[in-house]
Amino acid sequence: MPLSEHEQRMLEQMERALYAEDPKFATALEGSGLRTYTRRRVYQAVAGFLVGIALLMAGMVAKQVWLSVVGFLVMLGCAVLAVTGWRKAPKPGEQPSGGQQTRRQPRQKRSMMDRIEQRWQRRRDEQGGH
């Protein structure tokens, strides 16, 4: 549901105030840390995959089928995390808000602002129900 002009102006004012008060935090919310986050997630998934291989091998050596199955499931889950994280990660030369800055950046901010607006509306509805 689109926001009214008044709500959009209020959100823009809140955003400007956030930038004025804490620009470092506002930049972090913008999504500049997305690449670091996805890269870290992929590395964790690769490490988990290696742990899964170790569990699979340990289960085979100890002749414990359940341990091998757990190792396989860990490997499978980590492989899914790595692939989905890799697809979401921006390319090395690409910035999340680069290139088409006028189109992408407002869309990212709106999605963050939409979540804030939804939370605000939910709180207002909960307080109004009392």
Side-chain angles (χ1 to χ4, degrees):
M1 167 167 70
L3 300 175
S4 69
E5 289 181 28
H6 175 68
E7 291 172 332
Q8 287 178 353
R9 277 183 282 156
M10 287 180 58
L11 289 175
E12 288 172 4
Q13 288 174 354
M14 289 169 44
E15 186 179 37
R16 282 193 297 267
L18 177 64
Y19 273 104
E21 289 176 16
D22 195 356
K24 188 175 179 181
F25 179 68
T27 305
L29 287 179
E30 243 179 25
S32 61
L34 176 66
R35 189 162 142 205
T36 305
Y37 171 74
T38 53
R39 186 182 310 148
R40 184 180 306 138
R41 183 176 172 190
V42 169
Y43 289 153
Q44 289 171 347
V46 168
F49 189 84
L50 294 175
V51 168
I53 289 175
L55 287 173
L56 181 74
M57 294 301 216
M60 291 173 60
V61 169
K63 296 184 181 179
Q64 298 292 326
V65 176
W66 66 271
L67 189 59
S68 295
V69 170
V70 168
F72 176 76
L73 292 175
V74 168
M75 288 170 51
L76 183 65
C78 289
V80 169
L81 284 176
V83 169
T84 57
W86 192 264
R87 287 183 183 168
K88 291 179 184 177
K91 304 291 184 265
E94 176 184 330
Q95 291 290 332
S97 60
Q100 300 173 341
Q101 188 173 10
T102 57
R103 297 181 105 201
R104 285 184 163 193
Q105 197 170 14
R107 191 180 310 155
Q108 288 176 350
K109 288 180 184 176
R110 282 189 185 161
S111 65
M112 177 187 73
M113 297 309 272
D114 286 341
R115 288 192 309 261
I116 292 171
E117 175 63 26
Q118 288 172 356
R119 289 178 187 162
W120 181 261
Q121 185 68 30
R122 196 175 338 137
R123 287 182 188 145
R124 196 174 351 162
D125 291 344
E126 288 174 2
Q127 289 177 354
H130 290 281

mmCIF file of all heavy atoms in Angstrom, residues 15 18-19 22-34 105 108-113 115-116 119:
data_model
loop_
_atom_site.group_PDB
_atom_site.id
_atom_site.type_symbol
_atom_site.label_atom_id
_atom_site.label_comp_id
_atom_site.label_asym_id
_atom_site.label_seq_id
_atom_site.Cartn_x
_atom_site.Cartn_y
_atom_site.Cartn_z
ATOM 1 N N GLU A 15 14.331 10.424 8.091
ATOM 2 C CA GLU A 15 15.570 9.959 7.480
ATOM 3 C C GLU A 15 16.655 11.032 7.554
ATOM 4 O O GLU A 15 17.803 10.747 7.898
ATOM 5 C CB GLU A 15 15.296 9.560 6.042
ATOM 6 C CG GLU A 15 16.477 8.929 5.363
ATOM 7 C CD GLU A 15 16.126 8.536 3.940
ATOM 8 O OE1 GLU A 15 15.379 9.274 3.264
ATOM 9 O OE2 GLU A 15 16.601 7.482 3.520
ATOM 10 N N LEU A 18 17.917 11.259 11.011
ATOM 11 C CA LEU A 18 18.806 10.131 11.308
ATOM 12 C C LEU A 18 20.197 10.379 10.740
ATOM 13 O O LEU A 18 21.201 10.162 11.418
ATOM 14 C CB LEU A 18 18.227 8.833 10.741
ATOM 15 C CG LEU A 18 19.082 7.576 10.907
ATOM 16 C CD1 LEU A 18 19.252 7.246 12.390
ATOM 17 C CD2 LEU A 18 18.453 6.411 10.178
ATOM 18 N N TYR A 19 20.263 10.879 9.512
ATOM 19 C CA TYR A 19 21.563 11.197 8.920
ATOM 20 C C TYR A 19 22.279 12.295 9.698
ATOM 21 O O TYR A 19 23.490 12.250 9.867
ATOM 22 C CB TYR A 19 21.404 11.626 7.454
ATOM 23 C CG TYR A 19 21.399 10.474 6.494
ATOM 24 C CD1 TYR A 19 20.219 10.031 5.924
ATOM 25 C CD2 TYR A 19 22.576 9.819 6.151
ATOM 26 C CE1 TYR A 19 20.206 8.970 5.046
ATOM 27 C CE2 TYR A 19 22.574 8.763 5.273
ATOM 28 C CZ TYR A 19 21.385 8.340 4.718
ATOM 29 O OH TYR A 19 21.372 7.295 3.857
ATOM 30 N N ASP A 22 23.276 10.594 13.378
ATOM 31 C CA ASP A 22 24.252 9.511 13.357
ATOM 32 C C ASP A 22 24.473 9.038 11.925
ATOM 33 O O ASP A 22 23.904 8.038 11.489
ATOM 34 C CB ASP A 22 23.764 8.355 14.237
ATOM 35 C CG ASP A 22 24.853 7.357 14.556
ATOM 36 O OD1 ASP A 22 25.975 7.516 14.031
ATOM 37 O OD2 ASP A 22 24.591 6.422 15.336
ATOM 38 N N PRO A 23 25.325 9.738 11.180
ATOM 39 C CA PRO A 23 25.522 9.371 9.773
ATOM 40 C C PRO A 23 26.132 7.981 9.593
ATOM 41 O O PRO A 23 25.828 7.292 8.625
ATOM 42 C CB PRO A 23 26.446 10.453 9.231
ATOM 43 C CG PRO A 23 26.966 11.194 10.399
ATOM 44 C CD PRO A 23 26.081 10.919 11.557
ATOM 45 N N LYS A 24 26.962 7.558 10.530
ATOM 46 C CA LYS A 24 27.581 6.236 10.407
ATOM 47 C C LYS A 24 26.529 5.134 10.497
ATOM 48 O O LYS A 24 26.520 4.188 9.710
ATOM 49 C CB LYS A 24 28.631 6.062 11.502
ATOM 50 C CG LYS A 24 29.469 4.818 11.369
ATOM 51 C CD LYS A 24 30.547 4.787 12.428
ATOM 52 C CE LYS A 24 31.391 3.537 12.324
ATOM 53 N NZ LYS A 24 32.430 3.491 13.359
ATOM 54 N N PHE A 25 25.621 5.260 11.456
ATOM 55 C CA PHE A 25 24.543 4.285 11.619
ATOM 56 C C PHE A 25 23.611 4.313 10.407
ATOM 57 O O PHE A 25 23.193 3.271 9.903
ATOM 58 C CB PHE A 25 23.761 4.568 12.895
ATOM 59 C CG PHE A 25 22.612 3.634 13.130
ATOM 60 C CD1 PHE A 25 22.849 2.298 13.425
ATOM 61 C CD2 PHE A 25 21.315 4.087 13.059
ATOM 62 C CE1 PHE A 25 21.791 1.438 13.629
ATOM 63 C CE2 PHE A 25 20.251 3.231 13.271
ATOM 64 C CZ PHE A 25 20.492 1.897 13.560
ATOM 65 N N ALA A 26 23.292 5.500 9.916
ATOM 66 C CA ALA A 26 22.408 5.628 8.762
ATOM 67 C C ALA A 26 23.031 4.980 7.534
ATOM 68 O O ALA A 26 22.338 4.318 6.758
ATOM 69 C CB ALA A 26 22.105 7.092 8.497
ATOM 70 N N THR A 27 24.331 5.152 7.350
ATOM 71 C CA THR A 27 25.013 4.527 6.230
ATOM 72 C C THR A 27 24.986 3.010 6.354
ATOM 73 O O THR A 27 24.813 2.300 5.370
ATOM 74 C CB THR A 27 26.473 5.022 6.144
ATOM 75 O OG1 THR A 27 26.463 6.444 6.072
ATOM 76 C CG2 THR A 27 27.180 4.455 4.934
ATOM 77 N N ALA A 28 25.136 2.515 7.575
ATOM 78 C CA ALA A 28 25.074 1.066 7.785
ATOM 79 C C ALA A 28 23.686 0.524 7.451
ATOM 80 O O ALA A 28 23.557 -0.567 6.905
ATOM 81 C CB ALA A 28 25.431 0.734 9.230
ATOM 82 N N LEU A 29 22.650 1.275 7.755
ATOM 83 C CA LEU A 29 21.289 0.842 7.444
ATOM 84 C C LEU A 29 21.003 0.888 5.954
ATOM 85 O O LEU A 29 20.123 0.192 5.467
ATOM 86 C CB LEU A 29 20.268 1.719 8.169
ATOM 87 C CG LEU A 29 20.142 1.503 9.661
ATOM 88 C CD1 LEU A 29 19.109 2.466 10.234
ATOM 89 C CD2 LEU A 29 19.769 0.076 9.977
ATOM 90 N N GLU A 30 21.741 1.707 5.232
ATOM 91 C CA GLU A 30 21.518 1.860 3.808
ATOM 92 C C GLU A 30 21.779 0.585 3.045
ATOM 93 O O GLU A 30 21.274 0.385 1.970
ATOM 94 C CB GLU A 30 22.437 2.953 3.260
ATOM 95 C CG GLU A 30 21.719 4.109 2.715
ATOM 96 C CD GLU A 30 22.680 5.149 2.207
ATOM 97 O OE1 GLU A 30 23.825 4.835 1.850
ATOM 98 O OE2 GLU A 30 22.287 6.307 2.195
ATOM 99 N N GLY A 31 22.604 -0.287 3.565
ATOM 100 C CA GLY A 31 22.903 -1.512 2.846
ATOM 101 C C GLY A 31 24.338 -1.571 2.370
ATOM 102 O O GLY A 31 24.701 -2.442 1.613
ATOM 103 N N SER A 32 25.171 -0.614 2.791
ATOM 104 C CA SER A 32 26.563 -0.645 2.366
ATOM 105 C C SER A 32 27.282 -1.856 2.944
ATOM 106 O O SER A 32 28.259 -2.320 2.393
ATOM 107 C CB SER A 32 27.272 0.642 2.775
ATOM 108 O OG SER A 32 27.248 0.774 4.181
ATOM 109 N N GLY A 33 26.792 -2.387 4.054
ATOM 110 C CA GLY A 33 27.397 -3.569 4.651
ATOM 111 C C GLY A 33 26.840 -4.867 4.092
ATOM 112 O O GLY A 33 27.195 -5.939 4.541
ATOM 113 N N LEU A 34 25.975 -4.774 3.071
ATOM 114 C CA LEU A 34 25.372 -5.963 2.496
ATOM 115 C C LEU A 34 26.419 -6.892 1.909
ATOM 116 O O LEU A 34 26.370 -8.100 2.116
ATOM 117 C CB LEU A 34 24.360 -5.561 1.414
ATOM 118 C CG LEU A 34 23.699 -6.695 0.654
ATOM 119 C CD1 LEU A 34 22.813 -7.496 1.611
ATOM 120 C CD2 LEU A 34 22.886 -6.162 -0.503
ATOM 121 N N GLN A 105 18.751 3.528 -4.957
ATOM 122 C CA GLN A 105 18.863 3.997 -3.577
ATOM 123 C C GLN A 105 17.509 4.323 -2.958
ATOM 124 O O GLN A 105 17.232 3.859 -1.867
ATOM 125 C CB GLN A 105 19.798 5.198 -3.524
ATOM 126 C CG GLN A 105 20.297 5.478 -2.132
ATOM 127 C CD GLN A 105 21.400 6.502 -2.156
ATOM 128 O OE1 GLN A 105 21.618 7.176 -3.141
ATOM 129 N NE2 GLN A 105 22.109 6.624 -1.067
ATOM 130 N N GLN A 108 15.758 1.056 -2.001
ATOM 131 C CA GLN A 108 16.280 0.415 -0.799
ATOM 132 C C GLN A 108 15.820 1.176 0.439
ATOM 133 O O GLN A 108 15.430 0.571 1.420
ATOM 134 C CB GLN A 108 17.798 0.382 -0.822
ATOM 135 C CG GLN A 108 18.352 -0.602 -1.823
ATOM 136 C CD GLN A 108 19.859 -0.543 -1.884
ATOM 137 O OE1 GLN A 108 20.479 0.356 -1.314
ATOM 138 N NE2 GLN A 108 20.463 -1.477 -2.580
ATOM 139 N N LYS A 109 15.860 2.482 0.401
ATOM 140 C CA LYS A 109 15.449 3.274 1.556
ATOM 141 C C LYS A 109 13.966 3.093 1.821
ATOM 142 O O LYS A 109 13.538 3.024 2.943
ATOM 143 C CB LYS A 109 15.766 4.750 1.325
ATOM 144 C CG LYS A 109 17.240 5.047 1.395
ATOM 145 C CD LYS A 109 17.485 6.505 1.166
ATOM 146 C CE LYS A 109 18.949 6.817 1.138
ATOM 147 N NZ LYS A 109 19.216 8.209 0.821
ATOM 148 N N ARG A 110 13.186 3.019 0.756
ATOM 149 C CA ARG A 110 11.750 2.843 0.947
ATOM 150 C C ARG A 110 11.450 1.508 1.586
ATOM 151 O O ARG A 110 10.574 1.409 2.415
ATOM 152 C CB ARG A 110 11.012 2.979 -0.370
ATOM 153 C CG ARG A 110 10.851 4.404 -0.802
ATOM 154 C CD ARG A 110 9.948 4.521 -1.971
ATOM 155 N NE ARG A 110 9.906 5.906 -2.421
ATOM 156 C CZ ARG A 110 9.514 6.270 -3.605
ATOM 157 N NH1 ARG A 110 9.128 5.381 -4.474
ATOM 158 N NH2 ARG A 110 9.506 7.539 -3.934
ATOM 159 N N SER A 111 12.171 0.468 1.198
ATOM 160 C CA SER A 111 11.885 -0.829 1.802
ATOM 161 C C SER A 111 12.208 -0.785 3.300
ATOM 162 O O SER A 111 11.450 -1.315 4.104
ATOM 163 C CB SER A 111 12.665 -1.943 1.114
ATOM 164 O OG SER A 111 14.055 -1.780 1.319
ATOM 165 N N MET A 112 13.301 -0.133 3.658
ATOM 166 C CA MET A 112 13.622 0.021 5.073
ATOM 167 C C MET A 112 12.569 0.892 5.744
ATOM 168 O O MET A 112 12.066 0.569 6.817
ATOM 169 C CB MET A 112 15.000 0.663 5.246
ATOM 170 C CG MET A 112 15.354 0.902 6.705
ATOM 171 S SD MET A 112 16.875 1.820 6.944
ATOM 172 C CE MET A 112 16.375 3.446 6.476
ATOM 173 N N MET A 113 12.203 1.957 5.081
ATOM 174 C CA MET A 113 11.224 2.867 5.648
ATOM 175 C C MET A 113 9.841 2.212 5.693
ATOM 176 O O MET A 113 9.066 2.480 6.604
ATOM 177 C CB MET A 113 11.178 4.165 4.844
ATOM 178 C CG MET A 113 12.494 4.929 4.890
ATOM 179 S SD MET A 113 13.089 5.178 6.569
ATOM 180 C CE MET A 113 12.274 6.687 6.958
ATOM 181 N N ARG A 115 9.313 -0.938 6.308
ATOM 182 C CA ARG A 115 9.337 -1.788 7.500
ATOM 183 C C ARG A 115 9.144 -0.954 8.756
ATOM 184 O O ARG A 115 8.399 -1.343 9.654
ATOM 185 C CB ARG A 115 10.658 -2.560 7.575
ATOM 186 C CG ARG A 115 10.763 -3.661 6.560
ATOM 187 C CD ARG A 115 11.928 -4.566 6.862
ATOM 188 N NE ARG A 115 13.178 -3.877 7.079
ATOM 189 C CZ ARG A 115 14.139 -3.719 6.185
ATOM 190 N NH1 ARG A 115 13.990 -4.218 4.987
ATOM 191 N NH2 ARG A 115 15.244 -3.078 6.483
ATOM 192 N N ILE A 116 9.793 0.195 8.811
ATOM 193 C CA ILE A 116 9.638 1.073 9.975
ATOM 194 C C ILE A 116 8.189 1.546 10.075
ATOM 195 O O ILE A 116 7.603 1.550 11.155
ATOM 196 C CB ILE A 116 10.608 2.273 9.886
ATOM 197 C CG1 ILE A 116 12.052 1.785 10.039
ATOM 198 C CG2 ILE A 116 10.280 3.323 10.938
ATOM 199 C CD1 ILE A 116 13.093 2.843 9.761
ATOM 200 N N ARG A 119 5.965 -1.261 11.341
ATOM 201 C CA ARG A 119 6.130 -1.436 12.787
ATOM 202 C C ARG A 119 5.415 -0.331 13.549
ATOM 203 O O ARG A 119 4.772 -0.573 14.566
ATOM 204 C CB ARG A 119 7.612 -1.448 13.165
ATOM 205 C CG ARG A 119 8.327 -2.694 12.712
ATOM 206 C CD ARG A 119 9.779 -2.622 13.062
ATOM 207 N NE ARG A 119 10.497 -3.742 12.479
ATOM 208 C CZ ARG A 119 11.802 -3.778 12.315
ATOM 209 N NH1 ARG A 119 12.546 -2.753 12.700
ATOM 210 N NH2 ARG A 119 12.377 -4.830 11.781
#
